């Protein structure tokens, strides 16, 4: 009798455990789970209050070719790399000149002597407006991945994502200085560059700003490579940056505000000179989901030119009056 009671007890206990397990499985099915109060609402990130948008898209130019690489502007033209050429367009998208280059140009700048500096994956060329090579650099080393070139008066610098270093060149494109972005003596790290998104820009007064993408920071350096100040903002929301390497692209306006371009949740924004979020130029809904960060340039009137890599298109955004 005692043995029979034990068997019944064990059977009842087993049935109870099975019932608990079944109930738990049903409860934790995806369609039965309670809302996660900490879940990030992706739709909320895609939507931007129209009151925060400072620019409107007024025109765009579709580019013929397999791929596009970089965009710069001067007072009269847009220069954009497409396959093995650099196209010079007027501001209505009409072709003015086509300059041949050996391979896809991934970055460009105007040299102090008004020729073109063209960055490829691991070296830089100075060329004239016909494509004649005037100077050619050698790769820094086998790790070199050049992501951008900037010029202010006689200063020429480039960002190397592979070596996580900023290099300064003389007029003959020889390296004369370099720095790794360490904030203080003895720091264990400098620039944190998880991918080939590593940008820099000069302000109108010649202040050098460098993106430290792994820290979501924009850092200011003096001519010797010593950090003077920085601002950073890590957030999925509009006021900051997220992911492994944002902002991916920057340029600086006449009033020293920053135009920033992000990948992943693709958007173009403006941050004031202190780094505080100011407005949205183009919201995520204007771009391909999980797309590439557009290259950006800005003119003296606040018109922003964006190179949309996912559409092979130059897009023009004017301030809303």
């Amino acid at each position: 009798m005692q043995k029979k009671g034990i068997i019944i007890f064990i059977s009842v206990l087993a049935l109870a455990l099975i019932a608990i397990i079944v109930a738990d499985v049903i409860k934790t099915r995806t369609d039965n789970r309670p809302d996660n109060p900490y879940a990030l609402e992706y739709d909320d990130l895609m939507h931007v209050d129209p009151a925060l948008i400072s620019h409107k898209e007024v025109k765009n130019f579709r580019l013929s070719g397999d791929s596009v690489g970089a965009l710069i502007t001067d007072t009269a033209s847009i220069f954009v790399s497409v396959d093995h050429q650099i196209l010079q367009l007027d501001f209505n998208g009409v072709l003015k000149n086509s300059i041949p280059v050996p391979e896809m140009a991934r970055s460009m700048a105007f040299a102090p002597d008004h020729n073109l500096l063209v960055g490829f994956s691991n070296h830089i060329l100075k060329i004239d407006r016909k494509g004649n090579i005037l100077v050619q650099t050698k790769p820094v080393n086998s790790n070199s991945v050049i992501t951008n070139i900037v010029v202010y008066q006689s200063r020429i610098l480039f960002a190397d994502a592979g070596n996580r270093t900023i290099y300064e060149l003389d007029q003959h494109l020889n390296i004369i200085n370099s720095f790794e972005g360490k904030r203080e003596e003895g720091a264990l790290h400098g620039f944190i560059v998880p991918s080939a998104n590593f940008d820099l820009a000069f302000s109108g007064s010649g202040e050098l700003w460098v993106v430290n993408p792994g820290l979501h920071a924009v850092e200011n350096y003096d001519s010797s490579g010593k950090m003077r100040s920085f601002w950073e903002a890590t957030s999925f929301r509009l006021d900051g940056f997220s992911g492994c390497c944002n902002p991916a692209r920057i340029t600086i306006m006449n009033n020293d505000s920053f135009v920033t371009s992000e990948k992943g949740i693709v958007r173009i924004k403006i941050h004031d000179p202190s780094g505080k979020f100011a407005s949205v130029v183009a919201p995520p809904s204007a771009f391909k989901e999980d797309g590439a960060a557009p290259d950006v340039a800005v003119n003296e009137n606040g018109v922003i030119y964006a190179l949309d890599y996912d559409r092979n298109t130059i897009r023009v955004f004017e301030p809303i009056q």
Side-chain angles (χ1 to χ4, degrees):
M1 185 69 182
Q2 185 177 6
K3 184 177 180 181
K4 184 177 181 182
I6 293 172
I7 293 173
I8 293 173
F9 173 77
I10 292 173
S11 299
V12 171
L13 182 62
L15 289 172
L17 288 172
I18 291 170
I20 291 171
I21 292 169
V22 170
D24 186 62
V25 169
I26 293 173
K27 181 180 179 181
T28 56
R29 279 174 46 189
T30 302
D31 54 354
N32 285 326
R33 289 176 183 169
D35 291 338
N36 179 0
Y38 306 105
L40 183 65
E41 295 295 335
Y42 187 76
D43 290 343
D44 290 346
L45 299 179
M46 297 295 289
H47 174 74
V48 174
D49 183 345
L52 298 175
I53 298 177
S54 59
H55 286 62
K56 62 180 178 181
E57 186 170 5
V58 294
K59 62 182 77 171
N60 55 68
F61 314 130
R62 177 75 179 180
L63 300 166
S64 298
D66 293 330
S67 56
V68 296
L71 171 82
I72 55 174
T73 63
D74 61 15
T75 57
S77 301
I78 303 168
F79 292 78
V80 59
S81 61
V82 181
D83 298 333
H84 287 198
Q85 58 187 333
I86 295 171
L87 305 181
Q88 181 182 359
L89 312 173
D90 70 15
F91 291 116
N92 291 312
V94 177
L95 181 66
K96 299 169 68 174
N97 189 19
S98 178
I99 305 168
V101 288
E103 57 184 281
M104 166 66 72
R106 302 184 181 278
S107 55
M108 294 186 292
F110 299 108
D113 61 6
H114 307 297
N115 286 299
L116 286 172
L117 295 173
V118 184
F120 301 99
S121 59
N122 63 4
H123 67 285
I124 296 171
L125 297 181
K126 181 194 283 190
I127 62 173
D128 64 19
R129 302 300 172 96
K130 294 182 179 180
N132 296 311
I133 297 174
L134 306 176
V135 184
Q136 178 170 342
T137 70
K138 295 181 179 179
V140 175
N141 55 38
S142 60
N143 295 323
S144 190
V145 179
I146 296 170
T147 50
N148 202 9
I149 312 165
V150 294
V151 176
Y152 177 77
Q153 295 180 353
S154 63
R155 295 191 70 195
I156 304 170
L157 293 96
F158 71 89
D160 185 336
N163 289 297
R164 301 183 297 279
T165 299
I166 302 298
Y167 294 94
E168 183 166 3
L169 305 175
D170 65 16
Q171 300 306 299
H172 304 289
L173 304 191
N174 298 308
I175 293 174
I176 56 174
N177 189 23
S178 66
F179 58 94
E180 299 176 354
K182 294 185 178 179
R183 295 187 177 181
E184 57 189 26
E185 290 295 328
L188 296 178
H189 63 77
F191 297 122
I192 300 175
V193 187
S195 68
N197 292 280
F198 187 30
D199 208 359
L200 73 173
F202 276 118
S203 71
S205 61
E207 287 197 337
L208 177 65
W209 292 86
V210 182
V211 177
N212 196 336
L215 297 178
H216 305 135
V218 183
E219 303 172 343
N220 176 227
Y221 291 88
D222 67 16
S223 58
S224 69
K226 182 178 180 181
M227 182 185 291
R228 299 195 299 189
S229 64
F230 68 93
W231 59 271
E232 61 183 81
T234 299
S235 172
F236 282 98
R237 305 299 173 185
L238 281 175
D239 59 350
F241 309 103
S242 62
C244 73
C245 30
N246 275 314
R249 308 267 183 169
I250 62 167
T251 191
I252 300 177
M253 307 178 77
N254 276 358
N255 65 358
D256 287 339
S257 292
F258 299 87
V259 179
T260 65
S261 170
E262 298 168 68
K263 70 182 189 69
I265 300 173
V266 184
R267 54 196 181 190
I268 302 172
K269 302 182 302 187
I270 295 174
H271 288 252
D272 74 14
S274 70
K276 181 180 178 182
F277 166 74
S279 68
V280 174
V281 174
S285 58
F287 298 101
K288 177 183 176 182
E289 187 175 319
D290 198 28
D295 199 359
V296 286
V298 61
N299 72 11
E300 65 278 6
N301 298 316
V303 177
I304 294 169
Y305 300 86
L307 182 57
D308 188 330
Y309 293 98
D310 298 303
R311 299 179 182 178
N312 281 18
T313 299
I314 298 171
R315 303 173 66 178
V316 184
F317 298 88
E318 290 186 355
I320 297 172
Q321 303 300 325

